[in-house]
Amino acid sequence: MKLLTINVHAWIEENQDEKMEILAKVIAENDYDVVAMQEVNQSMNSPVVFRAIRQDNYGWVLLEKISKYTDRTYYYHWSNSHIGYGKYDEGLAIITKHKLLDVDEFYCTRAQSVNTITSRRINSATIEYKGQKVEFYTCHMNLPTNQEEKMADNIQTILKRSQTDNLKILMGDFNTDAINSPEDYKMILSQGLYDTYTMAEEKDSGITVGGNIDGWSKSKEEKRIDYILSNKEIKVKSSKVIFNGENHPVVSDHYGLEVILDL
């Protein structure tokens, strides 16, 4: 099973169309089973095209671009988390080539208003893979220093959302630096999670942010803040950073994380 997670920083990037073309082509070529994206923005006043999805929904536009490179059918689930940059519905999305058995969207935070940036909505999808149901959660968490929300409580809300024994995979931007804030990182794992990076047979540096970005304006260090985590120990063939300028061009202020599981 091949997975990708990336915070796409939608519509904020320079040369956005060119970067989307790169992302679309690689998604098609690499034939990912599941792609989790964060900061999947759409203009608040753009025309509605399908349910809550508006015409310039980043993921919706990306799917159109992907269709130029492959005939594969993809399933898409998007939900809004909060207002971003004063003009966007800032949400999360899952793209998968597997039929969606179930989808869900819920706030993992105490704050639950689109007008509050600490409100963090989780988007989930359940698929069947080789006879087993697997639950995927795309996440964009608050900083662990946030005084209004406790990361541990937020993660427990995610893990307890479905009362199943299914494999649960949490993918996304956890805003927690495993390199420079090891205690905060260990706290995440202490909630009953396993890092596919540490379990991987093959891996690189794991660096997903090269310097200061939105939310980390005073932090110039390289950071590992994007993860693919599981609630069970599993076999992981590889964990590699992508879209970092070495493994494909940069397409966002975050690099992507590509993980191959042996399920």
Side-chain angles (χ1 to χ4, degrees), residues 10 14 29 37 48 54 67-68 114 145 151 159 175 198 243 256 259 263:
E14 296 181 359
E29 290 176 347
M37 300 186 296
V48 173
R54 296 183 180 274
S67 69
K68 296 189 298 184
V114 294
T145 54
M151 178 79 77
L159 293 175
N175 269 315
T198 58
F243 305 117
V259 169
L263 298 183

Side-chain angles (χ1 to χ4, degrees), residues 5-27:
T5 185
I6 183 169
N7 182 324
V8 294
H9 203 220
W11 306 129
I12 311 298
E13 288 291 309
E14 296 181 359
N15 304 315
Q16 183 72 90
D17 190 68
E18 177 185 341
K19 291 178 178 179
M20 288 183 75
E21 286 289 344
I22 294 168
L23 178 59
K25 188 175 182 180
V26 172
I27 288 174

Side-chain angles (χ1 to χ4, degrees), residues 131-146:
Q132 68 169 311
K133 291 182 179 179
V134 185
E135 300 171 21
F136 292 90
Y137 297 82
T138 178
C139 313
H140 187 190
M141 310 300 283
N142 286 300
L143 290 162
T145 54
N146 186 288

Side-chain angles (χ1 to χ4, degrees), residues 27-65:
I27 288 174
E29 290 176 347
N30 288 357
D31 197 30
Y32 294 107
D33 289 277
V34 177
V35 177
M37 300 186 296
Q38 305 84 45
E39 290 192 34
V40 184
N41 298 329
Q42 63 180 20
S43 299
M44 296 170 66
N45 58 358
S46 179
V48 173
V49 293
F50 180 73
R51 295 181 180 175
I53 295 174
R54 296 183 180 274
Q55 193 172 60
D56 68 343
N57 180 284
Y58 177 96
W60 192 261
V61 176
L62 180 66
L63 283 171
E64 293 179 357
K65 293 182 178 295

Side-chain angles (χ1 to χ4, degrees), residues 171-258:
M171 307 168 65
D173 175 3
F174 283 76
N175 269 315
T176 301
D177 185 5
I179 299 171
N180 301 295
S181 303
E183 293 305 315
D184 292 328
Y185 166 71
K186 289 177 182 177
M187 182 276 299
I188 290 176
L189 299 186
S190 72
Q191 303 308 307
L193 292 170
Y194 300 88
D195 191 347
T196 55
Y197 175 79
T198 58
M199 292 189 290
E201 296 173 1
E202 297 180 27
K203 69 188 75 171
D204 52 18
S205 68
I207 300 297
T208 59
V209 172
N212 56 326
I213 59 171
D214 285 347
W216 295 79
S217 59
K218 297 180 181 179
S219 176
K220 297 182 179 181
E221 301 91 352
E222 292 182 326
K223 292 172 276 292
R224 185 164 81 90
I225 65 176
D226 301 84
Y227 307 103
I228 296 179
L229 309 171
S230 66
N231 67 331
K232 299 179 182 181
E233 286 191 87
I234 52 178
K235 186 174 182 180
V236 183
K237 289 185 176 180
S238 65
S239 176
K240 296 180 180 179
V241 175
I242 189 170
F243 305 117
N244 61 351
E246 297 179 8
N247 183 10
H248 293 289
V250 173
V251 298
S252 174
D253 61 348
H254 286 242
Y255 308 146
L257 178 62
E258 177 188 279

